[in-house]
Amino acid sequence: MATASDSKYKRTNTNGMQYQPLDVAIVGGGLVGSLLALHLGKKGHEVNLYEYREDIRTAELVIGRSINLALSARGRRALAEVGLEDALLNHGIPMSGRMLHDVNGKCKIVPYDANTNQCIYSVGRKHLNEVLLNAAEKYPNIHLHFNHKLVSANLDEGNLSMVDPVTKDVKSARADLIVGCDGAYSAVRKEIVKRPRYDFSQTYIEHGYLELCIPPTAAGEFAMPHNYLHIWPRGQFMMIALPNQDRTWTVTLFMPFTQFHSITDQGLLLDFFRQHFPDAIELIGRERLVKDFFKTKAQPLVMIKCRPYHIGAKALIIGDAAHAMVPFYGQGMNAGFEDCSVLTELLNQYGTDLARILPEFSEKRWEDAHAICDLAMYNYIEMRDLVTKRSYLLRKKLDELLFWMMPNTWVPLYNSVSFSHMRYSKCIANRAWQDKILTRVLYGASIASVAAIGGLCYRHVTMGHLERLSTSILSTFQLLKPKASV
């Protein structure tokens, strides 16, 4: 409890409320942890950021995921709140849509937003993390601690015990608030899961991923049009490519582990690519393809759902620690960054009343987090398979038309997720409402068409001909019927 003598240390939030700065321990110095440090440091809180790895800014080899990131509206807002949006947009490469590659090497462009030309940005994970850490280091009240691996915690008391992975030295810390930003295999969450009546699920999908690389051309240029996310959809698997600042492409192959395991030598690999990705062999280069494919093993993809995200008034998990998801909607980072925005909003509203802030954060975020986890899995099916279907393309055209006619009423699913701040759960509800409307309209139109044609043709065709005509018309409208919502 603050006393009168502490008043000089008090801060005033955006609502004019005075509060005593907190001592905050953030476990995990990745993207979400370093951004949260900036959000809290900007508000005057004393922040200690603990990362089990060495400093990535000086490390020769950075170990961990390197799937490129797609920065969209939610992440941009969280970066803007700490003054970093423009710096990242200037570095990122805008992607205005998907470029689909068929097995014959022909390409088709599918814009993300044909009406307003909004785009997402390809950004490098390492570069973004470095920018965030460099910015955090400039705050005197943010302290970075590398080689600190959490081994145990008393979340009720706010105590942490850590070890240096290199020297094995044991270190301890205490904080008013512990925030776990330590990823899908969170050590902080492991402490929370021990609690009774805690909801937790971990799901590994049967598909894994492996990264490849397309180099620049001999002239040092991009080997493909660079303002698109390139996709090779092949039904049960797919390959994607995102552009990098150095004119290379990060290529990621997603497919079932059984298929990865069946490719055991160079001949099988080249046969597989000749059959499914023939144009990619020349883009990647035969020798590089063989080398990169067999250099590492395919990595797993996990989805985490849990609730609540807090323990009492002392501990909280956000980002992948709370809601790890498969990467197919490009929202993992954006959702984690949005967590930072939501927590900051609650701090603005309630000062440092953690007994009120943490439960409200959990209640406000869990449903949205579960929703985007489900949407991410749905989007894998869309990207690897549905984008090639005529019904998908017709529905997209219809969505674009209705969005153009009624921009405040009819917002397509992808737009609501990537280009708005609509709650993820509301995005799903909005799509379900649209499906319901379209189903009624299309079925009503089909019945009216059948009746009208029947009236016109009654005297000129047999009943058998009329029945076949009606079936044909109904089949056409069935093609337009939207897929079931996730």
Side-chain angles (χ1 to χ4, degrees):
M1 180 72 67
T3 65
S5 62
D6 296 322
S7 60
K8 65 179 181 179
Y9 298 111
K10 288 184 178 181
R11 301 290 190 274
T12 302
N13 67 16
T14 54
N15 292 336
M17 179 187 297
Q18 282 198 328
Y19 62 91
Q20 187 72 19
L22 299 168
D23 285 324
V24 183
I26 297 176
V27 180
L31 301 178
V32 174
S34 51
L35 178 61
L36 180 62
L38 285 167
H39 274 253
L40 297 178
K42 185 179 178 182
K43 295 182 68 62
H45 299 292
E46 197 73 16
V47 180
N48 284 281
L49 182 68
Y50 299 101
E51 168 58 44
Y52 83 91
R53 300 169 299 178
E54 61 182 315
D55 190 341
I56 65 167
R57 296 169 297 175
T58 57
E60 292 184 9
L61 177 65
V62 179
I63 299 173
R65 296 173 301 163
S66 57
I67 293 178
N68 272 42
L69 302 165
L71 179 63
S72 55
R74 299 167 201 269
R76 289 176 59 178
R77 181 174 71 173
L79 290 168
E81 288 166 349
V82 294
L84 291 177
E85 180 186 18
D86 289 341
L88 270 303
L89 292 187
N90 290 336
H91 171 82
I93 298 174
M95 299 182 294
S96 59
R98 298 163 173 167
M99 183 170 284
L100 309 181
H101 296 243
D102 68 18
V103 291
N104 298 315
K106 294 181 180 179
C107 296
K108 176 188 294 183
I109 295 172
V110 181
Y112 288 131
D113 184 351
N115 295 327
T116 60
N117 297 317
Q118 296 189 84
C119 62
I120 58 178
Y121 289 80
S122 174
V123 295
R125 179 185 298 274
K126 184 175 185 292
H127 175 80
L128 175 52
N129 208 166
E130 289 177 344
V131 169
L132 293 171
L133 290 172
N134 287 336
E137 203 168 46
K138 294 177 182 178
Y139 283 79
N141 53 320
I142 300 177
H143 314 282
L144 308 181
H145 308 274
F146 300 99
N147 294 311
H148 280 62
K149 182 179 181 181
L150 180 68
V151 290
S152 65
N154 184 330
L155 300 181
D156 294 305
E157 300 295 330
N159 295 326
L160 300 170
S161 179
M162 291 161 287
V163 65
D164 186 319
V166 179
T167 66
K168 306 303 179 185
D169 292 339
V170 177
K171 304 172 183 180
S172 61
R174 185 184 179 98
D176 299 321
L177 172 64
I178 298 170
V179 186
C181 304
D182 47 342
Y185 305 102
S186 169
V188 177
R189 192 186 63 240
K190 286 180 182 177
E191 295 292 331
I192 299 178
V193 170
K194 297 175 184 177
R195 308 280 175 135
R197 300 177 62 193
Y198 187 77
D199 291 337
F200 171 78
S201 68
Q202 172 179 286
T203 305
Y204 283 95
I205 66 173
E206 63 180 16
H207 298 238
Y209 74 93
L210 189 146
E211 287 198 342
L212 304 167
C213 178
I214 293 176
T217 64
E221 298 299 327
F222 282 107
M224 302 183 294
H226 66 280
N227 291 124
Y228 301 96
L229 168 64
H230 289 253
I231 307 178
W232 289 256
R234 298 297 183 263
Q236 291 303 307
F237 54 92
M238 71 172 181
M239 192 165 69
I240 67 172
L242 280 81
N244 299 312
Q245 283 285 345
D246 62 0
R247 306 297 192 270
T248 64
W249 293 83
T250 298
V251 181
T252 311
L253 175 60
F254 298 97
M255 65 183 183
F257 277 103
T258 53
Q259 202 145 12
F260 275 117
H261 295 158
S262 69
I263 302 174
T264 56
D265 58 42
Q266 174 178 324
L268 291 172
L269 173 63
L270 294 175
D271 287 344
F272 174 77
F273 266 75
R274 289 190 193 104
Q275 179 181 356
H276 299 291
F277 312 112
D279 59 330
I281 298 176
E282 182 178 351
L283 290 167
I284 298 171
R286 177 174 166 169
E287 291 184 8
R288 179 187 286 266
L289 171 60
V290 173
K291 178 183 177 182
D292 289 351
F293 187 90
F294 292 109
K295 179 173 62 178
T296 58
K297 293 183 179 179
Q299 300 299 305
L301 294 164
V302 67
M303 179 171 65
I304 301 289
K305 290 182 179 179
C306 60
R307 61 178 294 207
Y309 297 145
H310 73 288
I311 291 294
K314 284 284 188 180
L316 180 71
I317 53 174
I318 68 173
D320 281 356
H323 44 70
M325 64 195 72
V326 293
F328 307 116
Y329 227 118
Q331 287 296 303
M333 173 190 68
N334 291 287
F337 281 8
E338 190 175 55
D339 287 345
C340 298
S341 295
V342 172
L343 183 58
T344 298
E345 288 171 6
L346 293 173
L347 287 165
N348 288 337
Q349 187 174 355
Y350 301 124
T352 54
D353 186 356
L354 297 179
R356 189 171 185 180
I357 291 170
L358 302 193
E360 187 161 331
F361 178 89
S362 285
E363 188 59 30
K364 194 169 185 177
R365 284 304 276 171
W366 78 263
E367 189 174 5
D368 291 331
H370 289 196
I372 189 56
C373 284
D374 292 336
L375 281 170
M377 196 62 247
Y378 163 78
N379 211 46
Y380 184 30
I381 301 171
E382 178 176 300
M383 291 172 71
R384 78 186 191 213
D385 188 25
L386 298 184
V387 291
T388 64
K389 307 294 186 184
R390 191 169 65 166
S391 57
Y392 168 83
L393 296 172
L394 286 172
R395 170 62 191 266
K396 183 167 179 60
K397 290 293 184 184
L398 183 56
D399 272 335
E400 289 172 355
L401 174 62
L402 293 172
F403 185 39
W404 175 75
M405 294 172 61
M406 303 176 290
N408 297 321
T409 303
W410 194 279
V411 183
L413 178 61
Y414 189 90
N415 294 62
S416 66
V417 171
S418 296
F419 303 132
S420 84
H421 303 291
M422 183 186 297
R423 294 184 59 172
Y424 289 123
S425 55
K426 179 70 183 299
C427 294
I428 290 182
N430 185 58
R431 174 61 175 231
W433 170 80
Q434 292 173 351
D435 286 352
K436 188 175 181 179
I437 294 296
L438 285 181
T439 298
R440 288 179 176 178
V441 169
L442 293 174
Y443 273 108
S446 68
I447 293 172
S449 297
V450 170
I453 294 172
L456 291 171
C457 300
Y458 179 76
R459 295 188 180 184
H460 303 286
V461 298
T462 66
M463 288 302 294
H465 288 144
L466 185 57
E467 184 176 342
R468 287 193 295 273
L469 182 60
S470 300
T471 301
S472 175
I473 293 170
L474 284 170
S475 297
T476 300
F477 280 102
Q478 184 66 28
L479 208 89
L480 290 170
K481 182 182 175 183
K483 300 290 182 182
S485 183
V486 292

